[in-house]
Amino acid sequence: MTILETRNDGIIWLDIDGRVDTNTGPQLQKSILQAFQKGSRVILNMEKVEYISSAGLRALLLGQKTACSKGGSMKLVHVCDVVMEVFRLTGFADILTIE
């Protein structure tokens, strides 16, 4: 998995490419937390993520909690159908902001 960070108008974009699993979940978590150290608005571009495991879900949950505690926001965009189904089945579709 690779994560490319860019900033645009005070928003930190994380472009995620690859599988988010047990091996890469901690990397995603670290990237999200680092992004919130730099700003309060984070967008995760999930266009190239075809798989997410419980480790990835944990990273996203921590990101959402961090956003709430800092009065910020975290949004996921371009989520593929397979990953969106995981979010629906686990209830994450109800707690994450997904566009």
Side-chain angles (χ1 to χ4, degrees), residues 19-34:
R19 295 170 54 94
V20 183
D21 55 25
T22 304
N23 294 323
T24 59
Q27 178 187 355
L28 176 60
Q29 180 176 314
K30 182 179 177 183
S31 293
I32 293 171
L33 294 178
Q34 287 176 340

Side-chain angles (χ1 to χ4, degrees), residues 66-83:
T66 302
C68 290
S69 71
K70 292 186 173 253
S73 65
M74 184 179 83
K75 180 171 38 174
L76 282 63
V77 297
H78 307 296
V79 178
C80 75
D81 291 340
V82 172
V83 173

Side-chain angles (χ1 to χ4, degrees), residues 16-67:
I16 305 160
D17 187 350
R19 295 170 54 94
V20 183
D21 55 25
T22 304
N23 294 323
T24 59
Q27 178 187 355
L28 176 60
Q29 180 176 314
K30 182 179 177 183
S31 293
I32 293 171
L33 294 178
Q34 287 176 340
F36 276 112
Q37 290 176 351
K38 300 170 188 172
S40 62
R41 296 170 53 200
V42 176
I43 297 177
L44 281 67
N45 181 0
M46 306 282 288
E47 185 174 14
K48 295 181 180 175
V49 176
E50 299 172 352
Y51 174 83
I52 190 163
S53 73
S54 60
L57 295 176
R58 188 170 34 256
L60 295 176
L61 182 60
L62 183 59
Q64 185 63 39
K65 287 182 176 184
T66 302

Side-chain angles (χ1 to χ4, degrees), residues 2-21:
T2 59
I3 301 173
L4 175 65
E5 179 183 311
T6 56
R7 296 179 204 183
N8 188 6
D9 292 332
I11 300 171
I12 298 171
W13 284 79
L14 298 177
D15 292 302
I16 305 160
D17 187 350
R19 295 170 54 94
V20 183
D21 55 25

